Amino acid sequence: MKKELKIGIVQHTFLEDIEANRRNNLASIRKLAQDGAQIVVLSELHDSLYFCQTEDVGNFTLAQEIPGEFTDFYGEAAKDSGVVIVASTFERRAPGLYHNTAVVFEKDGDVAGTYRKMHIPDDPGFYEKFYFTPGDMGFEPIDTSVGRIGVLVCWDQWFPEAARLMAMKGADFLVYPTAIGWNPEDADDEKERQRDAWITIQRSHAVANGLPVVSVNRVGVEDDPSHQTAGIDFWGSSFVAGPQGEILGMCSTDRPQEEVVTIDLERSDNVRCWWPFLRDRRIEEYGDLSKRFLV
Amino acid sequence: MKKELKIGIVQHTFLEDIEANRRNNLASIRKLAQDGAQIVVLSELHDSLYFCQTEDVGNFTLAQEIPGEFTDFYGEAAKDSGVVIVASTFERRAPGLYHNTAVVFEKDGDVAGTYRKMHIPDDPGFYEKFYFTPGDMGFEPIDTSVGRIGVLVCWDQWFPEAARLMAMKGADFLVYPTAIGWNPEDADDEKERQRDAWITIQRSHAVANGLPVVSVNRVGVEDDPSHQTAGIDFWGSSFVAGPQGEILGMCSTDRPQEEVVTIDLERSDNVRCWWPFLRDRRIEEYGDLSKRFLV
């Protein structure tokens, strides 16, 4: 018997105008709910431009307290449309203490739970270690009316350990709000290797753990305010994969899209019985995974 | 500066006649060495049919002591052709104690090291838990004249933990001798999902760890001696991926092949600097990976 869940994914471009971004997000949430979505997933830091292209203390004014106007707005959106929402924000926790935080809203508008991004990147154009303190809430899935959601954020997607721990805590599916793109000056073959690696590693989390994976990215070019680089060309390609890593739906690399993709949560159980990886893990031999390196 | 290594991969079909299989393997090793291969990788249990389709005590006579005639034969092959060889055998360690063991030969014919398959499958047609005691040597790469090789075997390929531990122990690249195939009665779309999942999870180990991956499978249909199933259609698709998971070479799904694929070990360092996942692992949060499940 199928246990279907309709997932709405919102792949947007963003403006400097936060109110405009929120209006666009709200319009997509409403449309996807009308199209039958039971949960809507937004991309990472979807209320603003990707401000981490430079290290600018002025950007800390973008941060939101939780609870606060951010949770008021998206809580109302969830209640208004009757859908679960996975949202993402720059969280101000205390003076000088900020996080990159996903907030999950129940369909009645309440906050179902939060997740603070655990793995923080830092490479040219993605200066996140300046802004975001690494999460201190661990890898804890969030219970909602549509299932137990293993919410992780962007850079977390490169770490099999994070996906595994969410699966071991009973996550029904994984969700990755994301903001990743190309250096526009890179060669086409390098760009394709990067995008393909990004798809591959996330599909592999579905395979290794026998559960669906939802990844939602922004799209379009955002300029580098410092003009030191050619900016970032966010590659879109938001997708949903089933528990064998099979692609169930994928957005374009170059335009905004909002799509409903259906997953079958019952299928995870079947797949895990055919390929019982959780049965065969050599847990007594995995202790060294808590080390930095072994030579 | 490039640090190229030419890898020979041998994708064969096998017969009941062990001597014939060895002759074919030897011919491929010689040919690949002539074609410039510095290391030759054979598939899993390449001296025999895949005997694990049934649980038959008679099959224990296939097992080899190490050292013994198996290591004499392939050691001589390595010395004769001047190449490193990754070979695979059914190891008899003691009465009633058998393993699925990879043996790496140095190009002078000496045994460089062995690896006993750590994760043992058991599903219809693949009754390996009957034959093979899980490995007790841990995840230890093997040093050779062509680099430090993270040898893992078949079912190990589904476990990100195994790949990670080999990378953390300084493996330059991973090698998976494999015997995996389809139930010929499965639907075509299910077959493709399985093969694609198998490719995806192994490419993801390259991505997650920034190193090349070599996977060598057998090919062709082998009958089920019990006639309870339609046998196994081994899907070939042996491949080499670079450190971004990019496919550098892949064999067919349906015929024997021997190919030389060149990897660039210097590229791993570049890729790891661009995408410094090893830098950002949250090791203080990974302790629970040594648990079976967390709910």
Side-chain angles (χ1 to χ4, degrees), chain A residues 57-135:
Chain A
V57 288
N59 286 331
F60 285 101
T61 61
L62 291 168
Q64 301 288 317
E65 293 188 351
I66 298 174
E69 57 150 339
F70 175 86
T71 51
D72 289 348
F73 182 85
Y74 286 100
E76 185 62 31
K79 186 178 176 184
D80 171 58
S81 289
V83 293
V84 171
I85 294 176
V86 179
S88 162
T89 192
F90 181 20
E91 178 193 0
R92 177 185 159 91
R93 185 176 180 184
L97 186 58
Y98 296 76
H99 297 281
N100 184 324
T101 302
V103 183
V104 179
F105 297 90
E106 192 41 271
K107 61 186 177 185
D108 63 5
D110 287 350
V111 171
T114 59
Y115 167 80
R116 293 190 179 120
K117 186 173 183 173
M118 293 286 281
H119 301 92
I120 307 295
D122 197 285
D123 53 285
F126 296 83
Y127 299 106
E128 296 198 15
K129 287 194 195 295
F130 176 68
Y131 294 104
F132 309 131
T133 304

Coordinates of all heavy atoms in Angstrom, one line a residue, chain A residues 57-135:
Chain A
V57 N 30.1 43.4 8.2 CA 29.4 43.4 9.5 C 28.0 44.0 9.3 O 27.1 43.7 10.1 CB 30.1 44.1 10.6 CG1 31.3 43.3 11.1 CG2 30.5 45.5 10.2
G58 N 27.8 44.8 8.3 CA 26.5 45.4 8.0 C 25.4 44.3 7.8 O 24.2 44.5 8.0
N59 N 25.9 43.2 7.3 CA 24.9 42.1 7.0 C 24.2 41.5 8.2 O 23.2 40.8 8.1 CB 25.5 41.0 6.1 CG 25.8 41.5 4.7 OD1 25.0 42.3 4.2 ND2 26.8 41.0 4.1
F60 N 24.9 41.7 9.4 CA 24.2 41.1 10.6 C 22.9 41.7 10.9 O 22.1 41.1 11.6 CB 25.2 41.3 11.8 CG 26.3 40.3 11.8 CD1 27.6 40.7 11.4 CD2 26.2 39.0 12.1 CE1 28.7 39.8 11.3 CE2 27.2 38.1 12.1 CZ 28.5 38.5 11.7
T61 N 22.6 42.8 10.3 CA 21.2 43.4 10.5 C 20.2 42.6 9.8 O 19.0 42.8 10.0 CB 21.2 44.9 10.0 OG1 21.5 44.9 8.6 CG2 22.2 45.8 10.7
L62 N 20.6 41.7 8.9 CA 19.6 40.9 8.2 C 19.1 39.8 9.1 O 18.1 39.1 8.8 CB 20.3 40.2 7.0 CG 20.6 41.1 5.8 CD1 21.5 40.3 4.8 CD2 19.4 41.6 5.1
A63 N 19.8 39.5 10.2 CA 19.4 38.4 11.1 C 18.1 38.5 11.8 O 17.6 39.6 12.1 CB 20.6 38.1 12.1
Q64 N 17.5 37.4 12.1 CA 16.1 37.3 12.7 C 16.2 36.6 14.0 O 16.9 35.6 14.1 CB 15.2 36.5 11.8 CG 15.1 37.1 10.4 CD 14.3 38.4 10.4 OE1 13.2 38.4 11.1 NE2 14.7 39.4 9.6
E65 N 15.4 37.1 15.0 CA 15.3 36.4 16.2 C 14.2 35.3 16.1 O 13.2 35.5 15.3 CB 15.0 37.4 17.4 CG 16.2 38.3 17.6 CD 16.0 39.1 18.9 OE1 14.9 39.1 19.5 OE2 17.0 39.8 19.3
I66 N 14.4 34.2 16.8 CA 13.4 33.1 16.8 C 12.9 32.9 18.2 O 13.7 32.6 19.0 CB 14.0 31.8 16.2 CG1 14.4 32.0 14.7 CG2 13.0 30.7 16.3 CD1 15.2 30.9 14.2
P67 N 11.6 33.1 18.5 CA 10.5 33.6 17.6 C 10.7 35.1 17.3 O 11.4 35.8 18.0 CB 9.2 33.3 18.3 CG 9.6 33.4 19.8 CD 11.0 32.9 19.8
G68 N 10.0 35.5 16.2 CA 10.1 36.9 15.8 C 9.3 37.1 14.5 O 8.4 36.3 14.2
E69 N 9.6 38.2 13.8 CA 8.8 38.5 12.7 C 8.9 37.5 11.6 O 8.0 37.2 10.8 CB 9.1 39.9 12.1 CG 10.6 40.1 11.7 CD 10.7 41.1 10.6 OE1 9.8 41.3 9.8 OE2 11.8 41.6 10.4
F70 N 10.1 36.8 11.5 CA 10.3 35.7 10.5 C 9.3 34.6 10.8 O 8.6 34.1 9.9 CB 11.7 35.2 10.5 CG 12.0 34.1 9.6 CD1 12.3 34.3 8.3 CD2 12.0 32.8 10.1 CE1 12.6 33.2 7.5 CE2 12.2 31.7 9.3 CZ 12.5 31.9 8.0
T71 N 9.3 34.1 12.0 CA 8.4 33.0 12.4 C 7.0 33.4 12.3 O 6.1 32.6 12.0 CB 8.8 32.4 13.7 OG1 8.8 33.4 14.7 CG2 10.1 31.7 13.7
D72 N 6.7 34.7 12.6 CA 5.3 35.2 12.5 C 4.9 35.1 11.0 O 3.8 34.6 10.7 CB 5.2 36.6 12.9 CG 5.3 36.8 14.4 OD1 5.3 35.8 15.1 OD2 5.5 37.9 14.9
F73 N 5.7 35.5 10.1 CA 5.4 35.6 8.7 C 5.2 34.2 8.1 O 4.1 33.9 7.5 CB 6.4 36.3 7.9 CG 6.1 36.5 6.4 CD1 5.3 37.5 6.0 CD2 6.5 35.5 5.5 CE1 5.0 37.6 4.6 CE2 6.2 35.6 4.1 CZ 5.4 36.7 3.7
Y74 N 6.1 33.3 8.3 CA 6.0 32.0 7.7 C 5.1 31.0 8.5 O 4.5 30.1 7.9 CB 7.4 31.3 7.5 CG 8.1 32.0 6.3 CD1 9.1 33.0 6.6 CD2 7.8 31.8 5.0 CE1 9.7 33.7 5.5 CE2 8.3 32.5 3.9 CZ 9.3 33.4 4.2 OH 9.9 34.1 3.2
G75 N 4.9 31.3 9.8 CA 3.9 30.6 10.5 C 2.5 30.9 10.0 O 1.7 30.0 9.8
E76 N 2.3 32.2 9.7 CA 1.0 32.6 9.1 C 0.8 32.0 7.7 O -0.3 31.5 7.4 CB 1.0 34.1 9.1 CG -0.3 34.7 8.6 CD -1.5 34.4 9.5 OE1 -1.3 34.2 10.7 OE2 -2.6 34.2 9.0
A77 N 1.9 31.9 7.0 CA 1.8 31.3 5.6 C 1.5 29.9 5.7 O 0.6 29.4 4.9 CB 3.2 31.5 4.9
A78 N 2.0 29.1 6.7 CA 1.7 27.7 6.8 C 0.3 27.5 7.2 O -0.4 26.7 6.6 CB 2.7 27.1 7.9
K79 N -0.2 28.3 8.2 CA -1.6 28.2 8.6 C -2.5 28.6 7.5 O -3.6 27.9 7.3 CB -1.8 29.1 9.8 CG -3.1 29.0 10.5 CD -3.2 30.0 11.7 CE -4.5 29.9 12.4 NZ -4.6 30.9 13.5
D80 N -2.2 29.7 6.8 CA -3.0 30.2 5.7 C -3.2 29.1 4.6 O -4.3 29.0 4.1 CB -2.4 31.5 5.2 CG -3.0 32.0 3.9 OD1 -4.2 32.2 3.9 OD2 -2.3 32.1 2.9
S81 N -2.1 28.4 4.3 CA -2.2 27.5 3.2 C -2.5 26.0 3.7 O -2.7 25.1 2.9 CB -1.0 27.5 2.3 OG -0.9 28.7 1.6
G82 N -2.3 25.8 5.0 CA -2.5 24.5 5.6 C -1.5 23.5 5.2 O -1.8 22.3 4.9
V83 N -0.2 24.0 5.1 CA 0.9 23.1 4.7 C 2.0 23.2 5.7 O 2.2 24.2 6.3 CB 1.5 23.4 3.3 CG1 0.4 23.1 2.2 CG2 1.9 24.9 3.2
V84 N 2.8 22.1 5.8 CA 4.0 22.2 6.5 C 5.0 23.0 5.7 O 5.0 22.8 4.4 CB 4.5 20.8 6.8 CG1 6.0 20.8 7.4 CG2 3.6 20.0 7.8
I85 N 5.8 23.8 6.3 CA 6.8 24.6 5.6 C 8.2 24.4 6.2 O 8.4 24.4 7.4 CB 6.5 26.1 5.6 CG1 5.2 26.4 4.8 CG2 7.7 26.9 5.0 CD1 4.8 27.8 4.9
V86 N 9.2 24.1 5.3 CA 10.6 24.1 5.7 C 11.2 25.4 5.2 O 11.3 25.6 4.0 CB 11.4 22.9 5.2 CG1 12.9 23.0 5.6 CG2 10.8 21.6 5.6
A87 N 11.5 26.3 6.2 CA 12.0 27.6 5.9 C 13.5 27.8 6.4 O 13.9 26.9 7.2 CB 11.1 28.7 6.5
S88 N 14.1 28.8 6.0 CA 15.6 29.0 6.4 C 15.8 30.4 6.7 O 15.4 31.3 5.9 CB 16.4 28.5 5.2 OG 17.7 28.9 5.3
T89 N 16.6 30.7 7.7 CA 16.9 32.1 8.1 C 18.3 32.2 8.7 O 18.9 31.2 9.1 CB 15.8 32.6 9.0 OG1 16.0 34.0 9.1 CG2 15.9 32.0 10.4
F90 N 18.7 33.4 8.7 CA 19.9 33.9 9.4 C 19.5 34.2 10.8 O 18.8 35.2 11.1 CB 20.5 35.1 8.7 CG 21.8 35.7 9.2 CD1 22.6 35.0 10.0 CD2 22.1 37.0 8.8 CE1 23.8 35.6 10.5 CE2 23.3 37.6 9.3 CZ 24.1 36.9 10.1
E91 N 19.8 33.3 11.8 CA 19.3 33.5 13.1 C 20.2 34.3 14.0 O 21.4 34.0 14.2 CB 19.1 32.1 13.8 CG 18.6 32.2 15.2 CD 18.6 30.9 16.0 OE1 19.1 29.9 15.5 OE2 18.2 30.9 17.2
R92 N 19.6 35.3 14.7 CA 20.3 36.1 15.7 C 19.9 35.4 17.1 O 18.8 35.5 17.5 CB 19.9 37.5 15.7 CG 20.5 38.3 16.8 CD 20.0 39.8 16.8 NE 20.1 40.4 18.1 CZ 21.2 41.2 18.4 NH1 22.2 41.3 17.6 NH2 21.3 41.7 19.6
R93 N 20.9 34.8 17.7 CA 20.6 34.1 18.9 C 21.0 35.0 20.1 O 20.3 34.9 21.2 CB 21.4 32.8 19.0 CG 21.1 31.9 20.2 CD 22.0 30.6 20.0 NE 21.8 29.7 21.0 CZ 22.5 28.5 21.1 NH1 23.4 28.2 20.2 NH2 22.3 27.7 22.1
A94 N 22.0 35.7 20.0 CA 22.5 36.6 21.1 C 23.4 37.6 20.4 O 23.9 37.3 19.3 CB 23.2 35.8 22.2
P95 N 23.8 38.7 21.0 CA 24.8 39.6 20.4 C 26.0 38.8 20.1 O 26.6 38.2 21.0 CB 25.0 40.7 21.5 CG 23.7 40.7 22.3 CD 23.3 39.2 22.3
G96 N 26.4 38.9 18.8 CA 27.7 38.2 18.4 C 27.5 36.7 18.3 O 28.5 36.0 18.1
L97 N 26.3 36.2 18.3 CA 26.1 34.7 18.2 C 25.0 34.5 17.2 O 23.8 34.7 17.5 CB 25.8 34.1 19.5 CG 25.7 32.6 19.6 CD1 27.0 31.9 19.1 CD2 25.4 32.2 21.0
Y98 N 25.3 34.1 16.0 CA 24.4 33.9 14.9 C 24.5 32.5 14.3 O 25.6 31.9 14.4 CB 24.7 34.9 13.8 CG 24.5 36.4 14.3 CD1 25.4 37.0 15.1 CD2 23.4 37.1 13.8 CE1 25.2 38.3 15.5 CE2 23.2 38.4 14.2 CZ 24.1 39.0 15.1 OH 23.9 40.3 15.4
H99 N 23.4 32.0 13.8 CA 23.4 30.7 13.1 C 22.7 30.8 11.8 O 21.9 31.7 11.5 CB 22.7 29.7 14.0 CG 23.3 29.4 15.3 ND1 24.4 28.6 15.5 CD2 23.0 29.9 16.6 CE1 24.7 28.6 16.8 NE2 23.9 29.3 17.5
N100 N 22.9 29.7 11.0 CA 22.2 29.5 9.8 C 21.2 28.4 10.1 O 21.5 27.2 10.3 CB 23.2 29.0 8.7 CG 22.5 28.8 7.3 OD1 21.4 28.4 7.2 ND2 23.3 29.1 6.3
T101 N 19.9 28.8 10.2 CA 18.9 28.0 10.9 C 17.7 27.6 10.0 O 17.2 28.5 9.4 CB 18.5 28.6 12.2 OG1 19.6 28.9 13.0 CG2 17.5 27.8 12.9
A102 N 17.4 26.4 10.0 CA 16.1 26.0 9.3 C 15.0 25.9 10.3 O 15.2 25.5 11.5 CB 16.3 24.6 8.6
V103 N 13.8 26.4 10.0 CA 12.7 26.4 10.8 C 11.6 25.6 10.1 O 11.2 25.9 9.0 CB 12.2 27.8 11.2 CG1 11.0 27.8 12.2 CG2 13.4 28.7 11.7
V104 N 11.0 24.6 10.8 CA 9.9 23.8 10.3 C 8.6 24.3 10.9 O 8.6 24.3 12.2 CB 10.2 22.3 10.4 CG1 9.0 21.5 9.9 CG2 11.5 21.9 9.8
F105 N 7.7 24.6 10.1 CA 6.4 25.1 10.6 C 5.3 24.0 10.4 O 5.2 23.4 9.3 CB 5.9 26.3 9.9 CG 6.8 27.5 10.1 CD1 7.9 27.7 9.3 CD2 6.6 28.4 11.2 CE1 8.8 28.8 9.5 CE2 7.4 29.4 11.4 CZ 8.5 29.7 10.6
E106 N 4.6 23.7 11.4 CA 3.4 22.8 11.3 C 2.3 23.5 10.5 O 2.3 24.7 10.3 CB 2.9 22.4 12.7 CG 2.0 21.2 12.7 CD 2.3 20.1 11.8 OE1 1.8 20.1 10.7 OE2 3.0 19.1 12.2
K107 N 1.4 22.7 9.9 CA 0.4 23.3 9.1 C -0.6 24.2 9.8 O -1.4 25.0 9.2 CB -0.4 22.3 8.3 CG -1.1 21.2 9.1 CD -1.7 20.1 8.2 CE -2.3 19.1 9.1 NZ -2.8 17.9 8.3
D108 N -0.6 24.2 11.2 CA -1.4 25.1 12.0 C -0.6 26.4 12.3 O -1.1 27.3 13.0 CB -1.9 24.4 13.3 CG -0.7 24.0 14.2 OD1 0.5 24.4 13.9 OD2 -1.0 23.4 15.2
G109 N 0.6 26.5 11.8 CA 1.4 27.7 12.0 C 2.4 27.7 13.1 O 3.2 28.5 13.2
D110 N 2.3 26.7 14.0 CA 3.3 26.5 15.1 C 4.6 26.1 14.5 O 4.8 25.5 13.5 CB 2.8 25.4 16.0 CG 1.6 25.9 16.9 OD1 1.3 27.1 16.8 OD2 1.0 25.0 17.6
V111 N 5.7 26.5 15.3 CA 7.0 26.0 14.9 C 7.1 24.6 15.4 O 7.0 24.3 16.6 CB 8.1 26.9 15.6 CG1 9.5 26.3 15.5 CG2 8.1 28.3 15.0
A112 N 7.4 23.7 14.5 CA 7.5 22.3 14.8 C 8.9 22.0 15.4 O 9.1 21.1 16.2 CB 7.2 21.4 13.6
G113 N 9.9 22.7 14.9 CA 11.2 22.5 15.3 C 12.2 23.4 14.5 O 11.9 23.9 13.5
T114 N 13.4 23.4 15.0 CA 14.5 24.2 14.3 C 15.7 23.3 14.2 O 15.9 22.3 15.0 CB 14.9 25.5 15.0 OG1 15.3 25.1 16.3 CG2 13.7 26.4 15.1
Y115 N 16.6 23.6 13.2 CA 17.8 22.9 13.0 C 18.9 23.9 12.7 O 18.7 24.8 11.8 CB 17.8 21.9 11.9 CG 19.1 21.4 11.4 CD1 19.8 20.4 12.2 CD2 19.8 22.0 10.3 CE1 21.0 20.0 11.8 CE2 21.0 21.5 10.0 CZ 21.7 20.6 10.7 OH 22.9 20.1 10.4
R116 N 20.0 24.0 13.4 CA 21.1 24.9 13.2 C 22.2 24.2 12.4 O 22.8 23.2 12.8 CB 21.6 25.4 14.5 CG 20.7 26.3 15.2 CD 21.3 27.0 16.4 NE 20.4 27.9 17.1 CZ 20.1 27.8 18.4 NH1 20.6 26.9 19.2 NH2 19.2 28.6 18.9
K117 N 22.4 24.7 11.2 CA 23.4 24.1 10.2 C 24.7 23.7 11.0 O 25.3 24.6 11.7 CB 23.7 25.2 9.2 CG 24.6 24.7 8.0 CD 24.7 25.9 7.0 CE 25.5 25.5 5.8 NZ 25.4 26.5 4.7
M118 N 25.1 22.5 10.9 CA 26.2 21.9 11.6 C 27.5 22.1 10.9 O 28.5 22.4 11.6 CB 25.9 20.5 11.9 CG 24.7 20.2 12.8 SD 25.1 20.6 14.6 CE 26.1 19.1 15.0
H119 N 27.5 21.9 9.6 CA 28.8 22.0 8.9 C 28.8 23.4 8.2 O 27.9 23.6 7.3 CB 28.9 20.9 7.9 CG 28.9 19.5 8.5 ND1 27.8 18.8 8.6 CD2 29.9 18.7 9.0 CE1 28.0 17.6 9.2 NE2 29.3 17.6 9.4
I120 N 29.8 24.2 8.4 CA 29.8 25.5 7.9 C 30.9 25.6 6.9 O 32.1 25.4 7.2 CB 30.0 26.6 9.0 CG1 29.0 26.4 10.1 CG2 30.0 28.0 8.4 CD1 27.6 26.6 9.7
P121 N 30.6 26.0 5.6 CA 31.7 26.1 4.6 C 32.4 27.4 4.7 O 32.0 28.4 5.5 CB 30.9 26.1 3.3 CG 29.6 26.8 3.7 CD 29.3 26.4 5.1
D122 N 33.5 27.5 4.0 CA 34.2 28.8 3.9 C 35.2 28.6 2.7 O 36.2 28.0 2.9 CB 35.0 29.1 5.2 CG 35.4 30.6 5.2 OD1 36.4 30.9 4.5 OD2 34.8 31.4 5.9
D123 N 34.8 29.1 1.6 CA 35.7 29.2 0.5 C 35.3 30.4 -0.3 O 34.3 31.1 0.0 CB 35.7 27.9 -0.3 CG 34.3 27.5 -0.8 OD1 33.5 26.9 0.1 OD2 34.0 27.6 -1.9
P124 N 36.2 30.8 -1.3 CA 36.0 32.1 -1.9 C 34.5 32.3 -2.4 O 34.0 31.6 -3.2 CB 37.0 32.1 -3.1 CG 38.1 31.2 -2.6 CD 37.4 30.1 -1.8
G125 N 33.9 33.4 -1.9 CA 32.5 33.7 -2.3 C 31.5 33.1 -1.4 O 30.3 33.5 -1.4
F126 N 31.9 32.2 -0.5 CA 31.0 31.6 0.4 C 31.7 31.7 1.8 O 32.1 30.7 2.5 CB 30.8 30.1 0.1 CG 30.1 29.9 -1.2 CD1 30.9 29.9 -2.4 CD2 28.8 29.6 -1.3 CE1 30.2 29.6 -3.6 CE2 28.1 29.4 -2.5 CZ 28.9 29.4 -3.7
Y127 N 31.7 32.9 2.3 CA 32.4 33.2 3.6 C 31.5 33.0 4.8 O 31.3 33.9 5.6 CB 33.0 34.6 3.6 CG 34.0 34.9 2.5 CD1 33.6 35.6 1.4 CD2 35.2 34.3 2.5 CE1 34.5 35.8 0.3 CE2 36.1 34.5 1.5 CZ 35.8 35.3 0.4 OH 36.7 35.5 -0.6
E128 N 31.0 31.8 4.9 CA 30.0 31.5 6.0 C 30.6 31.4 7.4 O 29.8 31.6 8.3 CB 29.2 30.2 5.6 CG 28.4 30.4 4.3 CD 27.3 29.4 4.1 OE1 26.9 28.7 5.1 OE2 26.8 29.3 3.0
K129 N 31.8 31.0 7.5 CA 32.4 30.9 8.8 C 32.4 32.3 9.5 O 32.5 32.3 10.8 CB 33.8 30.3 8.8 CG 33.7 28.8 8.5 CD 35.1 28.1 8.8 CE 35.3 26.7 8.2 NZ 34.4 25.7 8.7
F130 N 32.4 33.4 8.8 CA 32.3 34.7 9.4 C 31.0 35.0 10.0 O 30.9 35.6 11.1 CB 32.6 35.7 8.3 CG 32.5 37.2 8.8 CD1 33.4 37.7 9.7 CD2 31.5 38.0 8.3 CE1 33.3 39.0 10.1 CE2 31.3 39.3 8.7 CZ 32.2 39.8 9.6
Y131 N 29.9 34.5 9.4 CA 28.6 34.8 9.9 C 28.0 33.8 10.8 O 27.2 34.1 11.7 CB 27.6 34.9 8.6 CG 28.0 36.1 7.7 CD1 28.6 35.9 6.5 CD2 27.7 37.4 8.1 CE1 29.0 37.0 5.7 CE2 28.0 38.5 7.3 CZ 28.6 38.3 6.1 OH 28.9 39.3 5.3
F132 N 28.2 32.5 10.5 CA 27.4 31.5 11.2 C 28.3 30.6 12.2 O 29.2 30.0 11.8 CB 26.9 30.5 10.2 CG 26.1 31.2 9.0 CD1 26.4 30.8 7.7 CD2 25.1 32.1 9.3 CE1 25.7 31.5 6.7 CE2 24.5 32.8 8.3 CZ 24.7 32.4 7.0
T133 N 27.8 30.6 13.4 CA 28.4 29.7 14.4 C 27.9 28.3 14.1 O 26.7 28.1 13.9 CB 27.9 30.1 15.8 OG1 28.3 31.5 16.1 CG2 28.5 29.2 16.9
P134 N 28.8 27.3 14.1 CA 28.3 26.0 13.8 C 27.2 25.5 14.8 O 27.3 25.9 16.0 CB 29.6 25.1 14.0 CG 30.7 26.1 13.8 CD 30.3 27.4 14.3
G135 N 26.2 24.8 14.3 CA 25.1 24.4 15.1 C 25.5 23.6 16.3 O 26.5 22.9 16.3

